[in-house]
Amino acid sequence: MYPFSYTRVSDTREAVTAGRHGGRYIAGGTTLVDLMRETVERPGTLIDISSLPLREVTVTERGGLRIGALVTMAEAAANPKVRTLYPVVSQALELSASAQLRNMATIGGNIMQRTRCTYFRDVTADCNKREPGSGCAALHGFNRMHAILGTSDACVATHASDVAVAFAALEASVHLLGPDGERRVPFADFLLKPGATPNLEHDIHKGELITAVEIPALPRPLKSGYLKVRDRQSYEFALTSAAVALHIRHGVIREAKVAAGGVGTVPWKLPAVERHLIGERPSESLWAAAAEQAGQGSRPLEHNRFKAELLKRTVERQLRVVGGTK
Ligand code: SF4
């Protein structure tokens, strides 16, 4: 470890004022403390926001859901409103990390978590995300867990969050409070693909604080669920995953929201799959044909060629689980 200062704030304005001067926000600390121990991150000041009043889960006027940034993963997963309205969110949370981590980690921290690329966490390895311009050890290293979608020559790391995949599928937005007031960013724009600057990961300005994630109202009834494929059944990151939500009325799919995890540098929305489903009747052949659209434009690496096919199978299986067949 190395020296840093610590301050605790009790309201959001105080937090933003402190954040403006360059400190790092900390709540559950399940990512940041690890990274500080490994000296990957060296913040000069930590601003403890854990006592801010951002712990509510509320149904919005339009019937969507607003989850406060400091709601823990365990609280959100167990919340009756989340479970009833968006099972895909509670399932994604329950399949994440471990029980101990879910009790500490917050929703805001979860979507801000940094990649689990082992080279990023090894300060002796070349890593453009940790040290811009140094290179990418994963490109020609062991890259079985890395991304096949949204990659660049500078970085091929996946985004590790499961619940972010559900948020991406449902087209959620991120509420921010900063020195210039409040801002709302669509989830699809909040997490940035690496391009030439993999060190820039979020559309978040200096001093801005995440206050909530909002999921829009969707037509009812809405069936949804999350499937995570991984090397072991507990405490492991996804090789592939699929978040699926379907609105089926009079036997026809009227709305489809689908995204994939474990394959993209950001949670990967699958609009071609969604388009293939809308207006059709559920059937085994429809699920298979729609899943064929997943992974368009993928660029597999030496050790993760299996992911393109696994992604299709993951999407097909979860379409069948959520949509059923006649
Ligand atoms: Fe760093 Fe990204 Fe390469 Fe991993 S994949 S070593 S995070 S630049």
Side-chain angles (χ1 to χ4, degrees), residues 115 117-120 126-130 135-139 146 154-157 198:
T115 183
C117 171
T118 47
Y119 300 107
F120 170 72
D126 292 338
C127 174
N128 289 321
K129 190 181 281 295
R130 178 171 26 79
C136 171
L139 277 176
H146 287 71
C155 180
V156 291

Side-chain angles (χ1 to χ4, degrees), residues 213-235:
V213 173
E214 183 173 334
I215 304 168
L218 290 167
R220 302 274 156 198
L222 187 77
K223 293 167 82 178
S224 72
Y226 187 74
L227 174 64
K228 180 174 183 177
V229 178
R230 46 189 164 169
D231 284 327
R232 58 182 182 193
Q233 277 304 306
S234 174
Y235 197 23

